[in-house]
């Protein structure tokens, strides 16, 4: 089981940027992909972005492509999410996740980091 730890959340103003980081440990060589999800109060968890390690291809939710950038480290154990032009509606708990294959579920989750965008 992969363990994931997020960092970098906080309180920012609209228009600001923020960088989230996630570090994985334990069995990371088997990871197929890592990604970010978020859950706003009263809403379901939604996909934000992901990177597939072997081909280094990135994927984004349509509403976030262009403002958010996901990047992976040299190994399969770090992933970052750069968020620009933040909006109040980006306020959510952001979760890092990992999966073992293309068809598997996202089976490892971090504890989440709070991002609050408010004037």
């Amino acid at each position: 089981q992969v363990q994931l730890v997020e960092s970098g959340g906080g309180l920012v103003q609209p228009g600001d940027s923020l960088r989230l980081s996630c570090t994985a440990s334990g069995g990371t060589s088997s990871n197929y992909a890592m990604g970010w999800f978020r859950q706003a109060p009263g809403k379901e968890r939604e996909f934000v972005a992901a990177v597939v390690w072997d081909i280094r291809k990135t994927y984004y939710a349509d509403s976030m492509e262009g403002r958010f950038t996901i990047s992976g480290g040299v190994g399969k154990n770090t992933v970052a999410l750069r968020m620009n032009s933040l909006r109040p509606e980006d306020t959510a708990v952001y979760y890092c996740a990992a999966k073992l294959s293309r068809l598997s579920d996202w089976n490892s989750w971090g504890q989440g980091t709070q991002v609050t965008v408010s004037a």
Side-chain angles (χ1 to χ4, degrees):
Q1 184 78 13
V2 176
Q3 293 81 45
L4 304 172
V5 178
E6 305 100 333
S7 62
L11 172 64
V12 297
Q13 295 186 340
D16 284 353
S17 298
L18 200 62
R19 184 178 184 273
L20 306 181
S21 297
C22 176
T23 300
S25 60
T28 58
S29 62
S30 300
N31 274 353
Y32 168 79
M34 287 178 66
W36 290 93
F37 291 72
R38 71 183 187 184
Q39 187 166 19
K43 295 187 177 182
E44 293 187 353
R45 188 175 298 185
E46 64 175 342
F47 172 75
V48 174
V51 56
V52 175
W53 289 119
D54 288 346
I55 58 176
R56 291 283 168 163
K57 185 173 176 61
T58 56
Y59 300 87
Y60 296 91
D62 290 343
S63 62
M64 298 163 211
E65 189 162 15
R67 290 194 303 126
F68 291 8
T69 303
I70 189 170
S71 59
V74 174
K76 296 182 179 180
N77 63 338
T78 60
V79 66
L81 183 70
R82 175 71 176 183
M83 304 182 291
N84 295 326
S85 303
L86 284 163
R87 306 164 181 167
E89 53 265 37
D90 294 317
T91 294
V93 178
Y94 285 71
Y95 296 92
C96 180
K99 62 189 308 187
L100 296 178
S101 70
R102 183 174 65 87
L103 297 179
S104 72
D105 292 333
W106 293 92
N107 56 306
S108 297
W109 294 87
Q111 80 287 353
T113 185
Q114 177 71 46
V115 172
T116 303
V117 185
S118 175

